[in-house]
Amino acid sequence: MIPQDYIQEVIRRTDITDLVGGYVNLKHRGRTHTGLCPFHNEKTPSFVVYPETQSFYCFGCGVGGDAITFVKRINNLDYVEAVRFLASRAGMPMPEEDDKAGRLRSRILSANKDAARFYYQQLNADTEEARLARRYWRGRGLSDDTIRRFGLGYAPDGFSTGYKFLRSKGYTDEELLEAGLIKRSQKGNLYDAFFHRVMTPIFDVKGSLIAFGGRVLDDSKPKYVNSPETLVYKKSRTMFALNLAKKSASKRYILCEGYMDVISMHQAGFDTAVCACGTALTPEQVKLLSEYAEEVVLCYDSDEAGQKATARSLELFASSPLRVRVLKIPGAKDPDEFIKKYGKERFAALFDKADNALEYKLAKIRDKYDIAQDSGRVQYIKEAIGLLAGPISETERDVYAGRLAEETDVRKESILNQLDGAIRQNRRRASAARSRELLQEGTAGQIHLPYGPDGAKTLGVANAEQQLVAALLKSPEFLPRVMQRIRPEQFLMEDMRQSYEAICRCAREGAAPSLSALAQELDDKLMSTLSQMLARNHDVSPSPADLEMYMDRMEQSVPKSSQAGKMSNDEIENYLTSILNKKQKKN
Ligand SMILES: [Zn+2]
């Protein structure tokens, strides 16, 4: 951890408007600044910077936070790197990195390395289970050379073989737990996080071994077990095999669905194959990829899940500078199968036939209709025009309008006319949406009722908790009074409880509880939520009476059973609905 007063100093010397202004063209509007959001693709600005709370919030995509959050996101850095970035921008030397965090980080990396060696040895051991594991990898068509190059291994059966091995190498329980290599059972026993699984080590872009993916050898469940997020592993920011792909001369990257596809591709000589860690591609991963690649070819499975993932990824790539194409894999369910069936030369030939994003979407629309029929043709044209009226270049529009005309045997002029109409309509809609947005933004600040709109008391408690936390961030001078009356356990909403605890801890350590003071403890999602609350309230200052109301409302709502602090959002909703129903019955 970096010392809190150092962070405060970095923040004090950073002006968020200046900082963001370096990336976004900001326009002054009252006490705020607005511009086009750098985190999502938009035509009308919904990204707002609030100098008073030194925060930003995007009403379009819901991303928000303080200066540190902004730097983290825009430059794809972790927290410490972001502080370092801002410190050097402000001309401050970095403090000695806290020994403890730094040491733990390097212990985790070294435990991972020892674990990988252990899994590799186990794979090559002279035992029946090792033979089965080797048979598994070979059954997937991998050569011994590929197994070695990717450091593939096997975590043996039993609950603590790996644990005992790693303890013998001198790692403490705490280090192994932090590395996610072991787990603690409810009874308190320690056991291996991975057993009886084939293991794939995951490296970051710099080549450090940061995590593992484990798969069962048969069809039992769960099929995959992966390392949890740790000090060294953030899955939303990790691309598998990017450390290898970045060494390739080619800037055309192949984005696959899973580790196995990637490994087979590399074995077949496609050395720019990568895949996202985690279940779905994230904006951070797209950003990371765009630092190395110029073109990305999406190469997902041909099943429905794969097609959904393709559509979703295309959306994410839309705002990146990368050229994106979609590979069609005829006659096979995935690239792995295609290469095994038809060979790598034919697979390489597919790349030249890969559709660009627009062609892919058009083909998807065409597949839905029977264009031999008049009605099917009309539907196809209608939907295709909707697509071509979107954010694409004039040249592209002209080319595809021509193609559409040919396909449907409709005159190109008539297609272009309809296109013009659709584009005009889009513009009108966008400007109407923007007006609505401004209206909401304007009124949102006024909604300051502790009980929410329409007397919806179910919303009331949640709203009171949010308002209380927002008020404390804006006017920390109220904190001592609130702390006397409200304990963290009294919060129903888990994320507000967490925020309140962080605020209290900050105050106890003598720091002003600002958004930035909390950034080190709270995750990005919660930072966005808090900035949203600040954004909504940016032109109102809470009065002492407001705070009393929030606290009253919270105290009325505390359930007697008081498991509240641990309730999930769904449970809270159920609970609140149930008390509301009871009250209604009484009336
Ligand atoms: Zn946005």
Side-chain angles (χ1 to χ4, degrees):
M1 294 272 260
I2 309 172
Q4 194 55 244
D5 36 339
Y6 182 86
I7 295 169
Q8 293 299 318
E9 184 58 22
V10 172
I11 292 301
R12 214 178 51 74
R13 294 204 206 174
T14 302
D15 176 53
I16 195 164
T17 317
D18 252 21
L19 172 74
V20 175
Y23 300 86
V24 179
N25 190 7
L26 290 175
K27 290 222 169 59
H28 208 79
R29 219 181 65 200
R31 283 141 72 192
T32 62
H33 303 264
T34 53
L36 291 175
C37 177
F39 304 115
H40 84 281
N41 198 10
E42 63 175 1
K43 290 253 162 68
T44 52
S46 43
F47 179 85
V48 188
V49 177
Y50 302 91
E52 280 165 53
T53 45
Q54 287 288 302
S55 66
F56 70 92
Y57 183 71
C58 171
F59 286 86
C61 65
V63 163
D66 69 325
I68 298 175
T69 322
F70 182 82
V71 169
K72 263 171 77 178
R73 283 197 180 259
I74 199 110
N75 292 326
N76 197 30
L77 302 175
D78 68 22
Y79 182 83
V80 175
E81 289 167 339
V83 171
R84 206 174 291 229
F85 177 96
L86 286 175
S88 90
R89 187 175 170 276
M92 288 169 63
M94 240 346 240
E96 293 294 304
E97 197 175 340
D98 189 319
D99 280 354
K100 206 178 161 225
R103 203 168 48 231
L104 184 55
R105 190 180 285 260
S106 74
R107 288 297 282 170
I108 293 176
L109 289 176
S110 121
N112 282 344
K113 239 190 254 172
D114 277 322
R117 269 189 214 120
F118 171 74
Y119 299 142
Y120 184 73
Q121 279 162 10
Q122 291 298 314
L123 179 69
N124 294 292
D126 186 20
T127 61
E128 186 49 35
E129 53 172 335
R131 263 188 289 282
L132 282 175
R134 291 199 291 274
R135 196 179 305 155
Y136 174 84
W137 285 127
R138 289 190 188 128
R140 302 298 299 258
L142 301 187
S143 67
D144 286 351
D145 189 43
T146 300
I147 292 175
R148 212 174 8 254
R149 200 149 59 90
F150 279 86
L152 305 179
Y154 171 66
D157 215 346
F159 287 95
S160 56
T161 327
Y163 172 50
K164 282 183 195 136
F165 171 83
L166 290 164
R167 280 301 303 242
S168 80
K169 289 275 165 187
Y171 298 101
T172 64
D173 290 348
E174 193 213 343
E175 287 165 349
L176 296 175
L177 282 165
E178 289 284 343
L181 289 166
I182 59 169
K183 289 182 180 174
R184 194 192 298 279
S185 73
Q186 283 193 332
K187 284 186 183 158
N189 300 323
L190 297 169
Y191 63 96
D192 283 331
F194 303 99
F195 50 88
H196 196 36
R197 280 173 186 275
V198 286
M199 301 294 291
T200 305
I202 297 165
F203 296 86
D204 67 9
V205 67
K206 292 176 215 135
S208 305
L209 208 176
I210 53 174
F212 290 95
R215 188 201 189 284
V216 288
L217 282 74
D218 48 25
D219 285 328
S220 55
K221 300 266 156 71
K223 199 164 168 190
Y224 299 99
V225 168
N226 297 314
S227 295
E229 303 246 311
T230 65
L231 258 187
V232 301
Y233 179 49
K234 299 280 170 279
K235 63 176 178 228
S236 66
R237 292 191 199 146
T238 308
M239 296 294 295
F240 178 70
L242 186 57
N243 59 316
L244 301 174
K246 73 169 184 185
K247 294 179 190 150
S248 170
S250 168
K251 296 281 168 216
R252 178 203 270 171
Y253 280 43
I254 305 166
L255 184 54
C256 306
E257 217 169 283
Y259 306 142
M260 200 57 223
D261 297 323
V262 173
I263 297 171
S264 310
M265 290 274 219
H266 278 257
Q267 177 169 296
F270 302 99
D271 60 356
T272 53
V274 294
C275 71
C277 290
T279 43
L281 191 69
T282 67
E284 288 99 327
Q285 287 164 340
V286 168
K287 198 152 182 306
L288 181 63
L289 211 49
S290 61
E291 281 169 37
Y292 299 93
E294 281 167 11
E295 180 180 315
V296 170
V297 183
L298 302 189
C299 192
Y300 292 161
D301 296 357
S302 16
D303 61 6
E304 203 191 322
Q307 294 310 300
K308 273 198 183 133
T310 301
R312 210 187 146 267
S313 301
L314 282 177
E315 294 302 313
L316 281 177
F317 279 114
S319 51
S320 87
L322 290 163
R323 278 195 309 281
V324 182
R325 298 199 297 152
V326 183
L327 198 68
K328 274 190 290 238
I329 310 167
K333 68 171 166 30
D334 57 31
D336 193 24
E337 191 185 283
F338 186 93
I339 294 174
K340 289 204 180 86
K341 259 184 167 164
Y342 306 107
K344 51 188 176 185
E345 286 75 22
R346 282 192 56 190
F347 186 73
L350 289 181
F351 283 103
D352 303 320
K353 290 191 217 124
D355 283 344
N356 69 35
L358 198 61
E359 282 166 333
Y360 174 80
K361 287 183 190 166
L362 273 174
K364 280 272 144 194
I365 299 175
R366 192 176 47 229
D367 287 348
K368 287 201 293 191
Y369 303 109
D370 175 10
I371 59 170
Q373 306 283 332
D374 280 347
S375 62
R377 220 156 38 174
V378 170
Q379 287 296 325
Y380 171 44
I381 294 174
K382 212 170 134 193
E383 211 172 313
I385 278 181
L387 181 67
L388 297 180
I392 61 173
S393 75
E394 283 302 318
T395 327
E396 278 179 307
R397 201 167 276 146
D398 196 64
V399 169
Y400 290 104
R403 219 177 271 183
L404 188 59
E406 253 170 58
E407 269 175 353
T408 55
D409 208 15
V410 170
R411 279 186 315 118
K412 189 179 170 187
E413 288 72 43
S414 144
I415 300 252
L416 285 174
N417 271 340
Q418 289 189 53
L419 246 176
D420 275 344
I423 292 168
R424 267 198 305 276
Q425 197 182 5
N426 278 354
R427 283 204 195 109
R428 274 198 301 276
R429 269 198 209 128
S431 100
R434 178 66 196 143
S435 318
R436 257 199 316 277
E437 214 169 70
L438 280 176
L439 209 64
Q440 278 164 3
E441 225 180 287
T443 51
Q446 316 291 319
I447 298 176
H448 203 48
L449 304 169
Y451 297 102
D454 308 327
K457 293 191 180 178
T458 41
L459 262 178
V461 183
N463 201 12
E465 294 185 352
Q466 288 196 345
Q467 293 286 13
L468 185 68
V469 169
L472 289 174
L473 284 174
K474 239 190 140 172
S475 313
E477 66 273 15
F478 290 124
L479 187 57
R481 266 171 66 184
V482 175
M483 277 171 81
Q484 271 178 8
R485 215 176 126 183
I486 301 283
R487 283 167 293 111
E489 309 83 73
Q490 280 171 267
F491 278 78
L492 286 179
M493 292 165 79
E494 176 59 24
D495 54 354
M496 288 305 111
R497 186 190 57 72
Q498 239 180 329
S499 310
Y500 181 65
E501 265 182 348
I503 291 173
C504 295
R505 192 156 41 235
C506 236
R508 269 186 240 114
E509 284 162 13
S514 66
L515 205 51
S516 299
L518 306 184
Q520 194 162 9
E521 289 185 48
L522 305 181
D523 65 14
D524 289 357
K525 199 169 147 249
L526 192 42
M527 285 299 281
S528 290
T529 309
L530 293 180
S531 338
Q532 182 192 31
M533 285 152 43
L534 286 174
R536 292 244 156 96
N537 287 302
H538 82 96
D539 49 7
V540 263
S541 288
S543 71
D546 288 333
L547 274 105
E548 296 296 326
M549 275 199 295
Y550 305 148
M551 290 192 280
D552 286 349
R553 184 72 189 117
M554 282 177 64
E555 285 185 337
Q556 285 161 17
S557 78
V558 177
K560 293 277 178 294
S561 61
S562 205
Q563 276 295 308
K566 296 183 191 81
M567 286 164 99
S568 73
N569 281 345
D570 283 349
E571 285 167 334
I572 291 167
E573 211 165 286
N574 288 339
Y575 169 75
L576 291 173
T577 324
S578 77
I579 44 173
L580 188 66
N581 287 344
K582 268 184 222 149
K583 275 189 190 151
Q584 276 170 346
K585 271 181 205 149
K586 263 185 217 160
N587 294 342

